[in-house]
Amino acid sequence: ASARSTDPVRVEGADFAVVFVTDYPRAVEFYGGTLGLEQSADYERIPGGEFETGNLTLQVLDAAAVGREFAPSGHPIALRVDDVAAARAELEAAGVEFLGETMDSGVCHQAPFKDPDGNVLILHRRYVTRG
């Protein structure tokens, strides 16, 4: 059998995204407390764990614990919410600073912000259906 194949890989979905942090206990408070995400795993052996968004797991890890040099991610993860304005108001009341005004693209609302380590996240709601 040949190692090469003409068939494309069949990706079924995205299971998790890694979020590197410098202070795991602070990240637990932010992702679990401030954002209200369910923590489904705490690795205990290393400072890391998993938080559920409904369709994608965020694997939050202390970068140094896995031999990585920390740099905040500017590649945003968009978190779907029912009402961007209401969710933004709740987070602002909790001290979260947003990166400018809420954007209306014509199909969705987006409000970018940063976690305590500077990783960019977005509150997102699509209001125009595809098709």
Side-chain angles (χ1 to χ4, degrees):
S2 172
R4 289 178 53 127
S5 171
T6 57
D7 292 335
V9 171
R10 301 267 191 260
V11 175
E12 298 175 350
D15 290 333
F16 68 93
V18 177
V19 178
F20 287 123
V21 298
T22 61
D23 183 333
Y24 180 66
R26 180 178 69 185
V28 168
E29 177 55 37
F30 182 77
Y31 286 90
T34 305
L35 294 182
L37 301 179
E38 172 197 349
Q39 185 171 8
S40 58
D42 189 313
Y43 299 156
E44 298 176 11
R45 298 178 295 107
I46 62 167
E50 299 174 7
F51 294 84
E52 301 304 325
T53 69
N55 64 332
L56 179 72
T57 299
L58 299 183
Q59 181 186 52
V60 179
L61 289 171
D62 183 302
V66 292
R68 296 290 299 267
E69 185 174 330
F70 176 79
S73 175
H75 301 282
I77 297 172
L79 303 173
R80 185 172 57 236
V81 294
D82 182 55
D83 182 326
V84 170
R88 178 180 179 141
E90 285 181 37
L91 291 181
E92 285 177 328
V96 174
E97 291 188 32
F98 281 76
L99 306 174
E101 298 301 314
T102 297
M103 296 171 281
D104 184 339
S105 71
V107 297
C108 67
H109 293 122
Q110 298 183 49
F113 63 102
K114 292 183 178 181
D115 77 359
D117 277 298
N119 296 302
V120 180
L121 302 167
I122 298 173
L123 294 178
H124 176 261
R125 184 66 186 192
R126 184 177 183 92
Y127 60 81
V128 173
T129 56
R130 289 190 169 108

